[in-house]
Amino acid sequence: MQKIALENIDKFFPSSRSWANRGANLTLEAGEIHAVVGENGAGKTTLMRILAGLEKPDSGRIVIDGEPVVFRGPADAVARGIGMVHQHFLTIPGFSAAENIVFGEEPRFARFFVDRKALLANAAEAVRRFGFAVDPAKPAEALTVGERQQVEILKLLYRDCEVLILDEPTSVLPEREIGALFDTLRKLAGEGRTIVIITHKVREVLRIADTVTVMRNGAAVGRRRAAELSERALSDLVMGADARSSTAPQAAPAPKHRPAPALPPALELSGVTVRRGQHGRARLNALSLSVAPGEIVGVCALSGNGLAELEDLLAGVLKPSGGRVRFLGGRYPRRRAAPWRENGIAYVPSDRMRRGSCADRSVAENVIAPDRDTYFPAGFLDSGAAKAAARAAIDAFSVKAEPDSLVGELSGGNIQKLILARELLLAGGSGSAEGRTPPRGPAGKPARLCVLCEPTWGLDQASTEFAYGAIRGRRDEGSAILVLSSDLDEILALSDRILALHGGSIAGAWENRPGLSREEIGAAMLGAGGPIPAHVEGGPCD
Amino acid sequence: MTDGNRRKAGLLLFTVAAAVGSACVLLLLFSKSFAESLNLFFVAPLANRYYLGNLAASMVPLIVAALGVSFAFESRNFNLGGEGQIYSGALAATLVALAMPDSAPLAVQLAACAAAAALGGAIGALSGTLKQRLGVDELISSFLLSSLVALIVDYLVTGPFQDPASNFQTTRAIAPAAAFAKIFPPSSLSAGIFAALAAALAGKAVMSRTRFGFELRLCGASREFARYSGIDSGTYTVLSMALSGALHGLAGALMVFGSYGKVMKGFSSGVGWSAIAVSLIARNDPLAIVPAAAFYAYLDSGAKSVMLGSDVSSEIVAIVQAVIFLLVTATRLPFERAMGPGGHGVHRNGAKKGGAS
Amino acid sequence: MSFPDVAGTIAGNAFDAMTPLVFAALGGLFTELSGMLNIALEGLILTGAFFGVIAASLTQSAFAGFAAAGMAAAILAWVYGAATIRLKANVFVTGLAANIFASGLTVVLSNAWFGTKSVIAFKSPAPAAPFAATLGGIPFLGEALFSHDLIVYASWIAVAATSALAFRTRAGMRMRATGANAEAVVAAGFDPDASRLLAIVLSGLFCGFAGASLSLPLSAYVPNMSAGRGWIALVAIYLGARRPGRIAIACFVFALAESYSNYAQGTLKIPTEFILAMPYAATLAALVIGSALERARNSR
């Protein structure tokens, strides 16, 4: 039976001057797992935030069990049994898992005081009843990403939410934990709860959802049964069959296997150990790898196995406690040189909001920031060149912005595109964006090394393909490219060589040949890949 | 004009109106003759050459010190040590001038200004260095340092460097020839005003056209992104605090050479706080600092005029200043309906936001 | 004077000197926990000191003076908090506003009401503790622990009360959650701004008490009698790692320095300016050393 209906929802955002939702409709039934899919900026998250009481619609209405409701805030939605797990978890540091779960509903004694014993007992009971596996006494800071997600879901269950909305729940989870999450969600749906998953991953939809709503340009294209859809058909619905040919940038051809070039490595790590924290468990353990000019090396790992530390090491945030990092045979630079200058290092960080961009500055300022040598000849700003570079970046990746726009007003996907354009395309070269005018950036050579972390995180399919093309183009121009990603599909799509990290060490190394087994890599990432030969290192295979 | 700019202009207008309004209310409450004190407060400062010139003269240190404030603010460092930096800069300038009685005026002025800037800069740099090396909050350290320094200068002015011939708590006066030329007699307005205006222009150019300014402001906007872009924001913490302190010290020197000719105990008291108000009204824009300083100097001379001509104490200007501080950074008008949850201006910095996620 | 007497006097004075610091630091702790650095403590203390002693003299009740001090400072804090939160202004700048407002208002009012900008002496009852007469006679301990005004003991109770309020009540949980992750508070259906405003008003209340504990025992108001205590309190919060008990200990250390420098002023020939500078120097030194130790510990 119909549990919830969203009818003709409109939502306009004055800050970005855009419609997030226009006449959006959605229905949910009790006991189903429903996926809301669409590209970036299709309005999925906004529509769900409206349902969760976090945004107010400009027009349209929400109907629950046949009764129209108005939410003044998230508390109203929770009172009606609707709760949302955000993409960025809202865990409260300094609180235990239990305190996070019962926050706002703490049991009390003597009217005023929080009953800590009852609080812990209640949380433990909830953990047990819903079949989760998180220690309620654990402090929030010590929880893994997966445990934090469990806490977020438990928060809602503790408040008797009947409708759980999860925004991109798998984007932060390692493969193994995705399975566990899906099992949990099926169990909760089996008890009669309604689960909504916001996602842009087509494959995931078919794996978990009973029903699907596809969104495009702020409106729902339709509600379907997942069982009736093929991956291809769903893809076409998401992209819009007509959109594919006209507006989306063209996809680059799939990678061919390339022999490893016999050049000295651009980046070479030998026996690098990184410790973090007081007790100093090694996060990277005697790690050795190298990347030669003209090859793409993909490193994949589950969270907590050293990928973040490897990024921070190459970003200069962490110092190795042992071993050596060499760049072009010399010392690894302490600070990043401009990406598209000689000896430069292009770097797409996994944290695009805080590290990769500055919300309070314009697009132009974000574009020129890493290459001040070029845009401040003799110390003074060349504003014409700055504007031209911003324009080039915007055109190259179809970023929806103007050079003067504040980056904080762009959507996450557009910010990611801007970063990719800045790091990959602003060189004299063209990338391999066939059919497009090569952007004219400042004179310079492509970066000698590109460190790309989760490079297409949050991008829609068309932009992802375009980014892949640009990355391959860089490789073909002779850059050494290191891709760090927790997304195995991405690693397989891009890499010439693949390294799996487990526990901060290399757990496996492969040439990306056709027929390479996904399962074998997955097993190595889990540390279950059988005995790892002692000679396996990250160097080029022969 | 965009919506955002119109809104900012509206907020600024509201702040200025509230400041003027609160001055009126205070006069109404505390003066015996409201009409007369209104006249004293708002008209008298502009009524004759003498007052007008003095008003312009008091803009000089305000402009230069406010520039110092804005360089710190733009790099997201708070220099609350302006009071001590101005005071000690003034003393340094006076001592240098007294030590060079027979040199050419220009040489004396340059040497004294350099000494003042160096001392103020060193005090600012100390706070900056403590922040960079040890993570000591520069807001607190600069305030504590300034209080400490001001007391030491108090001691020096009334002790070792006290003018033995004077009954007042003051140093000896510098040679009249070494002071800046008076350009608007009988007021104390001196050629120092040109130095201040030039400093504002130079500040604008540095802030918006140079690599140094760009890097400094980027550190202020996002430390993480600045680091990613290859900028060492620790260096800019020290540099901006040093530059801020140097400009404050310079402001102290300009007070000595422009108006006072010597250092009296506590003579610069309040200029540092006023400079913060000026910089905030100007939203850290070096060019806007000039009119903001004029507005501020106008209020200040109004209060002085009221004190001389009536029974109201000049501290009412502190209350007016408080009203400005209270409203000048508001991003929403009073009685305007709250738009959704938030309160992002409230956090001390980005680091405390977001929590564990 | 024998050594135990001197030590007793210095320690006893330290407990007196500690009281305004403890109240102010507890007040600052509320705002700190809710995610704001409150630099208005100084002005709030001054407000409490001024209105507290006036009210005590008018009513001839130390208790009324104490309550009025808290009220007056809480009202100023509310204005400062409302501007900060409802108008979304910068908390440091509005904090400066509160400080400047307090120092301006007290001078203007003292000029208007009492015709002076200098020290105002009142006739008001001192809040003496009932057991001071009997227990105060015990050597060392008597002078150090039992011969204080009631306010001193009230501050010790305030330490426990703050601890309970911040860590054992729903309002306290919300306040701390607001400081740690305001978005989570919104998602749970609460208004973090309400918690912030409550924290600011509480900090005003406590700073008012701090002011009363300066002016009531003296039966006088001295211009600028807060003398940097609001800033010292901020450093005490930091050194006390945001825990009420540890903050009280940090306050005691600062108070000991103050008490000793007062003692030294009577016996040694030191210029007044240096005596006045002592608390700033000690606080700055403690701040630097504390930060250096923390940095050393983290890098190990």
Side-chain angles (χ1 to χ4, degrees), chain C residues 41-128:
Chain C
L41 301 182
E42 186 78 11
L44 296 169
I45 298 173
L46 204 60
T47 308
F50 184 72
F51 289 100
V53 72
I54 291 175
S57 136
L58 287 177
T59 60
Q60 285 300 307
S61 154
F63 180 78
F66 194 69
M71 286 289 293
I75 291 169
L76 174 58
W78 180 80
V79 173
Y80 147 61
T84 312
I85 290 159
R86 301 290 172 217
L87 308 186
K88 295 193 176 192
N90 181 301
V91 68
F92 298 124
V93 179
T94 50
L96 283 182
N99 285 340
I100 290 166
F101 181 82
S103 65
L105 184 75
T106 48
V107 175
V108 169
L109 288 183
S110 114
N111 188 46
W113 292 347
F114 305 101
T116 176
K117 293 186 183 179
S118 162
V119 180
I120 317 164
F122 293 90
K123 283 200 172 60
S124 64

Side-chain angles (χ1 to χ4, degrees), chain A residues 54-80:
Chain A
L54 290 153
E55 306 276 358
K56 294 183 186 71
D58 297 330
S59 64
R61 59 177 200 161
I62 305 170
V63 180
I64 302 178
D65 296 328
E67 177 196 347
V69 293
V70 174
F71 295 149
R72 281 163 305 154
D76 287 359
V78 170
R80 294 303 303 249

Side-chain angles (χ1 to χ4, degrees), chain C residues 130-195:
Chain C
F131 48 76
T134 48
L135 295 177
I138 307 169
F140 181 74
L141 281 185
E143 172 128 32
L145 284 179
F146 299 121
S147 59
H148 303 289
D149 292 335
L150 266 183
I151 293 181
V152 173
Y153 307 110
S155 76
W156 299 355
I157 295 169
V159 174
T162 302
S163 195
L165 187 55
F167 294 88
R168 294 282 188 281
T169 66
R170 283 189 178 181
M173 300 277 279
R174 286 206 289 273
M175 206 180 278
R176 290 189 296 130
T178 298
N181 188 349
E183 261 185 283
V185 178
V186 176
F190 302 110
D191 180 5
D193 284 347
S195 283

Side-chain angles (χ1 to χ4, degrees), chain B residues 280-318:
Chain B
L280 289 168
I281 294 172
R283 311 236 179 240
N284 300 337
D285 181 333
L287 288 186
I289 278 175
V290 176
F295 169 68
Y296 202 81
Y298 171 60
L299 286 183
D300 199 45
S301 51
K304 285 201 181 101
S305 142
V306 163
M307 178 180 68
L308 290 176
S310 77
D311 50 340
V312 183
S313 63
S314 68
E315 275 79 6
I316 57 164
V317 80

